[in-house]
């Protein structure tokens, strides 16, 4: 079966970061809109990369060009020096468990991003992974640019050519995006062909207006990027989204088993969303365990990864959030 | 004490307040691979950064050295050059992404010469924060094709084609803080390649071994009598050769450097090595070739030159103990053109020669204050007195 999809989006809503490299123009647009901008770095043992991200972003987008109003680090309980280093380089550092402490505690990137909504003040939130080895301030201003200079775009997502760091100090020039090509793209092609125009739906760098993020649920773990796209697409349509070419991003390579776990979480999130949106019926509950195998002393042993798929509700439904941001505290649905 | 010297200790804290910008410059320039002869992208970023800091003129010279000029207040005073070489010893395939820790930055080429270039890029912002202006134009030059086979081509071309007199120069190297280079040895850097002549019908050539031939060359070089005056030395620095353990090497290469404070002695030693090679080539019936990779002439400022004295005072005012050794770098080219110049190091570091070299962050603020002090000394006329 074919689908007559809107294939114009990729032409009209795809940008290159260089279009927004005039930071005076970005600042003027920010002033004109009268918005504030927060940047959040979710961390878990990122002592090797966090300082560099903070140095460059604070220098270029706070000290020299005040594009960002705050940078916060939300940490999942790092056991290395991440929090100490981040503090010493000027970030506001939070332990995720200490934010809205009366709620059940979960560990995961999605949890940190969701809680960041509570502690940040900005009208626009920029989320960057904290493990970007070749960090450059374009990662932030490239995502912010379309939000300020295009009145229709409310959410931006990065794409790039991702070299993989292999072995000791060597870079393989192309690669990455295996889960995207083997899992996400086939799923989007089967169910939401328009979304295939998003070139790297799993990229960890995105930005958007608070009004978008506060109204969507956040899965705790790997499924956050997939669910975010599906929810924004379902609620507001494709046209509020933009994607930005940030050119090159160097990241740590992950082994196939890790990618398998990631794929499991993404598939579960995706199928759950399909059920919630009444797009499919599931006759049986899905299981929570990804079963892989490993060889231990000549014996094959199961290696089980448990992913229950916990999800935070839209934060606008949390009374403390509504109170903090002065939102009408009437009954929520 | 001169007025500018009294101000120097106070500069350190102001420079420290620009830490994020200084480190960003080091990171953004250093993370771009720039092996010698492939500095194009780094050159572009160098100019972009300086243009972004509102430097008056940013351009490249005819050899594609990037230069930027901060205009001075007097048209009568010749310009002061601040120079750092852009190229590094690492290939593009090597990871150039640096690791920033609380007190250090590590990565390929950080000390040679990302810190130097990053410091140079930070000068316009530091001048602004210190509210410093100069009579002379300040020419910020990132020179290409400096190290190894580059043979200082970038700086040679820049100075050869610069049309006006130059008042003085500061060459900026990443480390080591405390170095004060004001003289250069004469130097010839050469390569000797041994190739075994192929004989038909022998799968692995003859039984002559290229590595053993070079070993003989080394032995005869070591037997050369080196005088104590003029001070001279021959350094055997590199050797490569062979394919696998069980096969006689058919080709081998030896890298060496002759240094002396006398150009004549350098030439004599070079001729001696040439004679050794001719002899061994004949004796062993092998192809033995000698090529020159780079060379510079000996040149120096005297210790009592006002620039050297001023640089020493600047360093001592900042609590630094000047250490002087010969330096065969951009300094040689300035001095051989009779332009007073010194080389200074920005900070302390370790593992200079490997991919995990590390710079210390905090000492760099004093290192930058020292560079600014010497620029101020030149602007005050210490190079004008002869």
């Amino acid at each position: 079966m074919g689908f007559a999809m809107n294939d114009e989006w990729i032409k009209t809503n795809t940008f290159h970061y260089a279009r927004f490299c005039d930071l005076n123009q970005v600042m003027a647009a920010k002033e004109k809109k009268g918005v504030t901008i927060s940047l959040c770095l979710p961390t878990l043992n990122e002592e090797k990369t966090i300082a560099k991200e903070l140095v460059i972003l604070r220098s270029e987008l706070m000290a020299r060009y005040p594009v960002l109003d705050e940078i916060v680090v939300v940490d999942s309980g790092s056991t290395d020096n991440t929090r100490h280093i981040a503090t010493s380089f000027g970030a506001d550092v939070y332990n995720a468990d200490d934010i809205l402490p009366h709620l059940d505690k979960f560990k995961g990137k999605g949890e940190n991003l969701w809680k960041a909504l509570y502690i940040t003040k900005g009208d626009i939130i920029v989320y960057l992974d904290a493990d970007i080895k070749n960090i450059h301030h374009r990662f932030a201003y490239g995502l912010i640019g379309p939000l300020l200079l295009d009145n229709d775009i409310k959410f931006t997502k990065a794409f790039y050519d991702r070299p993989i760091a292999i072995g000791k100090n060597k870079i393989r020039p192309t690669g990455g995006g295996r889960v995207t090509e083997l899992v996400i793209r086939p799923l989007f092609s089967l169910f939401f062909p328009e979304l295939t125009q998003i070139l790297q739906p799993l990229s960890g760098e995105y930005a958007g207006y608070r009004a978008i993020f506060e109204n969507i649920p956040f899965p705790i773990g790997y499924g956050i990027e997939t669910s975010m796209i599906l929810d924004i697409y379902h609620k507001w349509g494709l046209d509020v989204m933009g994607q930005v070419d940030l050119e090159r991003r160097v990241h740590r390579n992950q082994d196939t088993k890790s990618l398998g776990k990631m794929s499991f979480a993404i598939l579960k999130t995706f199928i759950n969303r399909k059920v919630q949106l009444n797009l499919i019926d599931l006759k049986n509950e899905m299981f929570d365990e990804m079963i892989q195998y490993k060889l231990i002393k000549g014996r094959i042993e199961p290696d089980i990864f448990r992913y229950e798929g916990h999800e935070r509700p839209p934060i606008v439904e949390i009374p403390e959030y509504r109170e903090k941001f002065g939102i009408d505290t009437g009954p929520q649905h | 004490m001169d007025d500018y010297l009294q101000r120097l200790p106070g500069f350190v804290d102001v420079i420290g307040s620009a830490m994020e910008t200084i480190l960003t410059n080091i990171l953004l320039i250093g993370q771009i691979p720039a092996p010698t002869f492939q500095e194009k992208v780094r050159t572009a970023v160098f100019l972009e950064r300086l243009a972004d800091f509102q430097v008056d003129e940013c351009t490249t010279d005819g050899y594609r050295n990037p230069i930027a000029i901060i205009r001075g207040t007097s048209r009568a005073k010749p310009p002061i050059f601040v120079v750092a070489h852009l190229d590094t010893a690492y290939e593009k395939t090597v990871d150039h992404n640096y690791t920033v820790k609380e007190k250090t930055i590590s990565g390929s080429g950080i000390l040679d010469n990302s810190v130097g270039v990053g410091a140079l890029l930070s000068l316009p912002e530091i001048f602004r924060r210190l509210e410093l202006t100069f009579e002379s134009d300040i020419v910020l030059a990132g020179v290409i094709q400096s190290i190894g086979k580059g043979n200082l081509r970038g700086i040679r071309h820049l100075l050869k084609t610069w049309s006006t007199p130059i008042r003085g120069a500061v060459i900026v190297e990443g480390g080591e803080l405390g170095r004060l280079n004001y003289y250069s040895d004469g130097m010839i850097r050469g390569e000797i390649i041994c190739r075994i002549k192929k004989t038909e019908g022998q799968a692995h050539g003859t039984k002559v071994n290229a590595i053993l031939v070079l070993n003989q060359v080394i032995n005869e070089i070591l037997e050369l009598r080196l005088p104590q005056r003029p001070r001279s030395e021959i350094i055997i620095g590199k050797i490569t050769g062979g394919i696998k353990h069980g096969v006689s090497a058919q080709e081998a290469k030896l890298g060496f450097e002759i240094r002396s404070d006398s150009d004549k002695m350098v030439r004599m030693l070079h001729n001696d090595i040439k004679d050794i090679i001719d002899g061994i080539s004949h004796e062993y019936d092998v192809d033995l070739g000698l090529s020159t990779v780079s060379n510079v002439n000996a040149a120096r400022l005297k210790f009592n030159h006002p620039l050297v004295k001023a640089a020493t005072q600047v360093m001592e005012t900042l609590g630094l103990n000047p250490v002087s050794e010969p330096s065969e770098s951009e300094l040689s080219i300035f001095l051989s053109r009779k332009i007073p110049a010194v080389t200074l190091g920005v900070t302390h570091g370790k593992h200079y020669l490997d991919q995990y070299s590390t710079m210390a962050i905090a000492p760099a603020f004093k290192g930058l204050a020292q560079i600014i002090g010497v620029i101020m000394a030149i602007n005050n006329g210490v190079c004008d007195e002869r």
Side-chain angles (χ1 to χ4, degrees), chain B residues 27-283:
Chain B
L27 293 165
L28 293 183
I29 203 78
Q31 296 193 149
I32 300 163
T36 308
F37 303 112
Q38 299 175 63
E39 303 99 333
K40 192 175 173 184
V41 179
R42 191 175 277 203
T43 295
V45 172
F46 181 96
L47 289 173
E48 271 171 27
R49 290 298 290 172
L50 288 169
D52 199 38
F53 282 105
Q54 314 291 321
V55 174
D56 301 319
E57 289 181 31
C58 300
T59 185
T60 53
D61 71 354
Y63 203 68
R64 298 191 184 280
N65 291 299
I67 51 174
I69 303 172
I70 302 170
R71 285 293 173 207
T73 55
S74 168
R75 294 181 70 90
K77 299 290 183 189
I80 299 168
F81 272 51
V82 186
V83 174
H85 73 82
L86 284 188
D87 51 341
T88 72
Y90 297 100
E91 292 301 319
K92 287 185 172 178
T93 51
V94 171
D95 187 355
H96 279 66
N97 294 300
Y98 292 169
T99 301
V100 181
K101 293 187 178 170
E102 199 178 349
K103 294 177 180 173
T104 61
I105 305 179
S106 305
S108 309
I110 183 85
L111 290 161
D112 189 16
N113 190 26
S114 305
V115 177
V117 181
L120 187 148
L121 291 175
S122 304
L123 288 177
E125 173 65 11
I126 295 169
F127 292 159
R128 189 187 65 76
R129 291 190 185 214
L130 292 170
E131 298 179 348
L132 290 177
T133 54
F134 301 92
E135 287 184 328
S136 288
D137 290 351
I138 306 295
V139 178
L140 305 173
V143 289
I144 62 171
Q145 296 176 23
S146 171
I147 59 177
K149 291 184 178 174
N151 193 17
L152 302 165
R153 283 186 183 86
I155 189 67
R156 287 181 207 268
H157 186 277
L158 178 60
L159 298 189
K160 189 176 165 188
T161 55
W162 192 264
S163 58
T164 68
I166 294 168
R167 206 172 180 191
V170 178
I171 295 104
V172 184
E173 291 280 353
E176 180 67 23
L177 178 60
R179 72 189 282 177
L180 171 58
N181 306 118
Y182 56 91
Y183 58 96
S184 301
D185 280 351
M187 182 272 286
I188 290 180
R189 193 172 289 155
E191 269 181 4
I192 300 167
I193 298 179
C194 177
R195 291 192 181 91
I196 304 303
K197 292 176 180 172
K198 294 275 189 301
T199 308
E200 230 174 287
Q202 286 183 285
H204 302 300
T206 66
K207 288 188 177 176
V208 181
N209 186 319
I211 292 174
L212 296 183
V213 173
L214 284 187
N215 187 51
Q216 183 61 24
V217 173
I218 293 170
N219 286 340
E220 294 198 22
I221 289 174
L222 295 180
E223 283 172 13
L224 289 174
R225 291 173 65 86
L226 299 179
Q228 292 200 343
R229 288 179 67 85
R231 181 177 44 78
S232 308
E233 63 178 332
I234 300 174
I235 299 162
I236 306 292
K238 273 173 84 172
I239 187 159
T240 55
I243 296 171
K244 56 184 184 178
H245 296 69
V247 177
S248 287
Q250 298 297 293
E251 186 172 312
K253 193 188 289 185
L254 176 72
F256 69 92
E257 192 171 290
I258 308 166
R259 288 185 200 159
S260 172
D261 53 14
S262 155
D263 288 337
K264 189 177 168 191
M265 181 55 66
V266 172
R267 282 194 298 274
M268 281 173 59
L269 290 171
H270 189 254
N271 285 336
D272 287 344
I273 291 176
K274 199 167 181 308
D275 289 343
I276 290 170
I277 285 169
D278 288 344
I280 292 177
S281 174
H282 177 74
E283 195 174 324

